[in-house]
């Protein structure tokens, strides 16, 4: 994997990567992409040209953490977050975005922005189209925002954004436990208001993905040791 990515990076200057190790998944590489399309292209090339079988974990942003001692940390992964009692505040990156869309889709697009914890800042019209300006947390737009935007606008919506600043938010780390053991590679950062629904959604997905055993397996989501969701994988 490391050799393949080093060779690929020779022809793709936008590819940023650094080695990483996870107790569960073993050695791997943390890669910075220009977006999800870039990720898909790199994944296809690695699998086709280098015959690799890849495990891709959840995309994430970095977070600025301020400790009670006054020390500042830059966290790249939820599993690196220090103990909650030591944290004074957590800042997450926000973006300024613009969406150009035909007038009839304005309501659906604003609804989508609100779902992603975004704030609409301006609305102006260019002929038959509308320009919607908004601010939103980058982490909420990473995985499927673009796909959902294309869906609600029948493919007509176009989206552009730039990084704005880091803002203090009420963020928590959601940990996932399989048969009582915490799997650090699955940990994610989320806003406290979204934690419950996200925990339920991911434990349901894990139930579909993890093979059944000869004994019952509990799949749980928790915040700081307090469980917020559970699914049981029944025994054979």
């Amino acid at each position: 994997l490391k050799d393949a990515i080093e060779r690929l990076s020779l022809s793709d200057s936008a590819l940023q990567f650094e080695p990483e190790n996870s107790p569960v998944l073993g050695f791997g590489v943390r890669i910075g992409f220009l977006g999800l399309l870039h990720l898909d292209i790199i994944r296809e090339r690695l699998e086709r040209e280098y015959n690799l079988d890849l495990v891709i974990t959840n995309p994430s942003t970095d977070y600025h953490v301020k400790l009670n001692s006054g020390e500042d940390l830059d966290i790249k992964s939820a599993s690196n977050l220090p103990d909650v009692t030591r944290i004074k505040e957590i800042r997450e990156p926000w973006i300024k975005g613009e969406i150009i869309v035909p007038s009839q889709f304005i309501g659906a697009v604003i609804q989508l922005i609100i779902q992603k914890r975004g704030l609409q800042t301006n609305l102006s019209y260019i002929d038959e189209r509308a320009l919607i300006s908004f601010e939103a947390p980058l982490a909420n737009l990473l995985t499927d925002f673009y796909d959902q935007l294309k869906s609600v606008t029948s493919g007509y919506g176009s989206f552009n954004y730039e990084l704005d600043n880091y803002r203090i938010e009420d963020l928590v780390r959601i940990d996932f436990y399989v048969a009582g053991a915490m799997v650090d590679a699955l940990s994610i950062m989320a806003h406290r208001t979204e934690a419950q629904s996200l925990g339920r959604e991911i434990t349901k997905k894990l139930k579909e993905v993890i093979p059944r055993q000869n004994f019952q397996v509990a799949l749980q989501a928790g915040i700081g040791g307090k469980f917020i969701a559970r699914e049981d994988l029944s025994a054979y």
Side-chain angles (χ1 to χ4, degrees), residues 5-16:
I5 289 171
E6 281 173 355
R7 283 184 201 169
L8 259 189
S9 67
L10 295 174
S11 59
D12 186 347
S13 58
L15 195 66
Q16 303 285 325

Side-chain angles (χ1 to χ4, degrees), residues 111-210:
Q111 193 61 43
L112 179 62
I113 290 167
I114 292 166
Q115 277 174 17
K116 300 293 182 184
R117 281 184 28 236
L119 308 167
Q120 180 208 335
T121 54
N122 192 24
L123 176 61
S124 52
Y125 290 89
I126 315 158
D127 302 330
E128 295 295 307
R129 291 168 299 167
L131 172 65
I132 302 168
S133 302
F134 70 100
E135 297 175 344
L138 178 60
N140 286 36
L141 308 187
L142 276 179
T143 41
D144 55 359
F145 179 74
Y146 193 67
D147 293 343
Q148 288 178 340
L149 176 66
K150 287 293 183 190
S151 244
V152 299
T153 61
S154 303
Y156 287 108
S158 56
F159 168 52
N160 172 48
Y161 75 92
E162 59 182 36
L163 279 173
D164 186 20
N165 55 14
Y166 283 76
R167 302 185 190 180
I168 299 170
E169 295 288 342
D170 184 12
L171 299 168
V172 292
R173 183 178 85 182
I174 308 175
D175 296 316
F176 293 91
Y177 298 79
V178 177
M182 190 176 110
V183 183
D184 74 321
L186 294 177
S187 296
I188 53 171
M189 297 287 287
H191 196 268
R192 197 178 290 277
T193 55
E194 300 170 331
Q196 193 103 28
S197 57
L198 210 53
R200 284 200 193 111
E201 190 185 320
I202 294 176
T203 46
K204 275 184 185 150
K205 279 186 188 168
L206 287 174
K207 189 178 179 181
E208 293 167 16
V209 172
I210 294 174

